[in-house]
Amino acid sequence: MRFDDTLETVLASDLRTPVGAQSAWRQLVDLVGRRRIAPDTRVMSALRSLQAGVPSGVRAASARALEFANPPAPLVRLFALDDAQVAAPTLRSARLAAAEWIQLLPELTPAGRSILRNRRDLSPVVQRALESFGPIDFVLPDNSLPVEASTAAEPSAEPSVEPAVAEAPSDPDAGTFEIAEVVARIDAFWRNREAEPPAPMPLYVAEEFRFETDAKGVIRWVDGVSRGAVIGIGLDSGAGSAGLRVDGVASGAFRHRTVFSHARLKVEGESDASGDWLISGVPVFDSVSGRFTGYRGTARRPRADERAELPASGSSNASADSLRQLVHELRTPTNAIAGFAEMIESQMLGPVAAVYRERAHTIRAQARELLGAIDDLDLAARIDSAALALVPGRVGLRPLLESIADDLGPLAELRGAMIALPIDDASVVGDRRAVERLLSRLLATLVSASAKGERIGVYVAREREDTVSIAMDRPRALADYSGESVLGIDDEQDDATLLGTGFALRLARNLARELGGSLAIGSERLTLRLPASVTSQVGQAHLN
């Protein structure tokens, strides 16, 4: 009923004024595009009746806003049959079933079908259907007939069997213009082209570049890639070229004139800059006037574990990939909140009272904690979808545990607990970042559950030639949960972790398996086992 009421409210507004029509258009497109209401006959009729009264620029902005929203087929068709600037963003990103694409293809203009030909994610069935339009999309119009004759001629009720040959123009120097011959030549060209091997990909693909923008956030200088592919990209969402996209991390930072990092950029085309990028930038202000003059930044290609491609149709890991997409959408506003709080705390926009700086510091700390939880969700989704990229190496445990203990010092002090580390070192084989994430999550979970005066001891031992064990004391608060029942602690009132103790332990167990190890839940200790690197003497725990 909530969605129906929303629809009724929109349709009950004043649609006779230009402002009212545009407002209703935006709201209906957003409701249908994000699948909050069904695209039934009534809704689509209302959109079609509003379409003519809404400026093309507004319709194009609505289409761009839905590029990542997966709109339903009826709304995709409405945009795809609109003007070129409205249809382009929709055709570049829409995800339809093969049958829906095939049904839509005959209604598209040749320009619309050419956009689809540049996509690499369409199914082979749709690609073959597109190929069948090749000669038709490139037929040259016959302008040799007089306007009066062409407008007066009525289509015959019976199909003509005569060849499509136009009359010779009045100019004797022009010669005979035979449409059938042109079509045959173009058809032969496409057949020969399909028989040829595909053109090789460019030998060089850039891996990083530097850029600078103007005060409007549009890139005006670039070094490291082809200028034409990147110049004109706008950090402010819709700014810049239509075929280039940045995500909300860069857009939000630009509006607040703050630092951003690892924002996503997609460059289309076939240059050395084509594909996905992670961009970072810092705002630049005039040293005399203090006016904002633009951004300076760098870009690099994302690693395999940093990619978030859309799931293929029918994929068994669709739910995990959907979670990764949701995590990305959560990270964007959280980064913006943290960045704005940092601006207030550092008084970047002017003097701020101490009480507000203190509150901004609290907001930034809580945003950092929330970002940690978001990263945990992303890690869990990547493990579940087999998208976790690990680079094995030798990892020394003692320096890593010392660094983690230092980071957890404020939390341990707040809980009144102590962390005891082993004296000697041992080394394991694994991805350093993953091992650090695993140990830090385990220790943070145990410290969060500890009480005043408790001691969380860490013990390292060589169990076999190929295994190192890292045992950690269980706090008294977890003593009531025997065996693996501790993995189900998610909704306890006194659970101090953001996602729950059970979630953190399940994540640690799954990550340990990815590293070729295991996590055992004992009555007094948690024991993490990882592949050993070299033999090392280990000692008893001591207080740090």
Side-chain angles (χ1 to χ4, degrees), residues 174-516:
T176 303
F177 187 79
E178 297 186 357
I179 297 297
E181 182 181 354
V182 175
V183 172
R185 289 181 179 179
I186 296 176
D187 195 14
F189 166 78
W190 282 103
R191 285 199 303 271
N192 294 336
R193 183 175 180 179
E194 291 172 356
E196 296 175 356
M201 293 294 290
L203 296 179
Y204 172 72
V205 177
E207 294 297 329
E208 58 183 19
F209 66 86
R210 296 178 297 144
F211 66 90
E212 292 183 6
T213 78
D214 58 17
K216 295 182 179 179
V218 178
I219 293 180
R220 298 303 184 193
W221 177 87
V222 64
D223 178 47
V225 293
S226 301
R227 291 172 51 84
V230 181
I231 295 294
I233 296 178
L235 300 183
D236 189 14
S237 297
S241 303
L244 306 163
R245 298 198 301 268
V246 296
D247 65 7
V249 174
S251 299
F254 170 77
R255 295 189 185 100
H256 297 301
R257 308 295 192 257
T258 187
V259 177
F260 66 88
S261 61
H262 295 168
R264 295 186 183 273
L265 162 70
K266 184 176 181 62
V267 181
E268 298 183 349
E270 297 182 357
S271 69
D272 59 346
S274 302
D276 297 325
W277 295 90
L278 293 181
I279 59 175
S280 304
V282 295
V284 180
F285 300 89
D286 186 270
S287 59
V288 177
S289 64
R291 294 177 58 185
F292 172 70
T293 60
Y295 271 86
R296 291 176 185 165
T298 59
R300 66 172 176 85
R301 296 289 186 182
R303 299 186 302 271
D305 61 307
E306 294 174 319
R307 296 183 179 272
E309 285 82 359
L310 295 172
S313 177
S315 171
S316 60
N317 294 323
S319 60
D321 289 340
S322 297
L323 176 58
R324 293 183 63 191
Q325 187 175 0
L326 173 62
V327 164
H328 176 64
E329 294 175 359
L330 288 173
R331 186 183 284 115
T332 298
T334 307
N335 271 323
I337 292 170
F340 195 65
E342 184 178 3
M343 292 173 63
I344 296 174
E345 185 182 3
S346 60
Q347 305 182 82
M348 185 178 295
L349 302 178
V352 179
V355 61
Y356 293 112
R357 293 202 305 273
E358 201 174 309
R359 291 178 182 177
H361 175 77
T362 302
I363 292 173
R364 192 157 66 94
Q366 292 181 353
R368 186 165 55 246
E369 182 181 356
L370 180 56
L371 283 171
I374 291 173
D375 288 340
D376 282 350
L377 288 172
D378 184 47
L379 177 61
R382 281 189 280 130
I383 291 175
D384 193 48
S385 59
L388 185 62
L390 300 175
V391 181
R394 181 178 180 276
V395 182
L397 294 179
R398 172 69 191 191
L400 199 58
L401 288 169
E402 287 179 346
S403 175
I404 293 171
D406 289 341
D407 291 340
L408 294 176
L411 176 61
E413 184 179 355
L414 179 66
R415 304 294 294 182
M418 296 176 291
I419 301 176
L421 300 180
I423 298 174
D424 295 326
D425 194 9
S427 298
V428 297
V429 175
D431 183 277
R432 180 176 180 81
R433 292 191 307 154
V435 173
E436 180 179 9
R437 188 73 168 273
L438 173 58
L439 293 174
S440 65
R441 284 295 173 265
L442 274 176
L443 271 176
T445 301
L446 297 176
V447 172
S448 296
S450 61
K452 186 174 182 179
E454 280 198 274
R455 171 183 175 276
I456 306 298
V458 181
Y459 310 86
V460 177
R462 191 67 173 264
E463 287 192 341
R464 296 189 302 272
E465 185 65 26
D466 59 347
T467 304
V468 171
S469 68
I470 306 102
M472 302 179 186
D473 290 334
R474 287 179 57 165
R476 289 189 297 270
L478 303 181
D480 294 336
Y481 299 91
S482 59
E484 294 197 352
S485 64
V486 71
L487 298 175
I489 306 176
D490 284 327
D491 300 317
E492 301 296 326
Q493 267 189 334
D494 54 351
D495 196 346
T497 57
L498 192 57
L499 293 176
T501 297
F503 175 88
L505 294 178
R506 292 194 301 271
L507 177 63
R509 181 187 59 181
N510 293 339
L511 184 54
R513 290 172 179 171
E514 292 290 318
L515 289 167

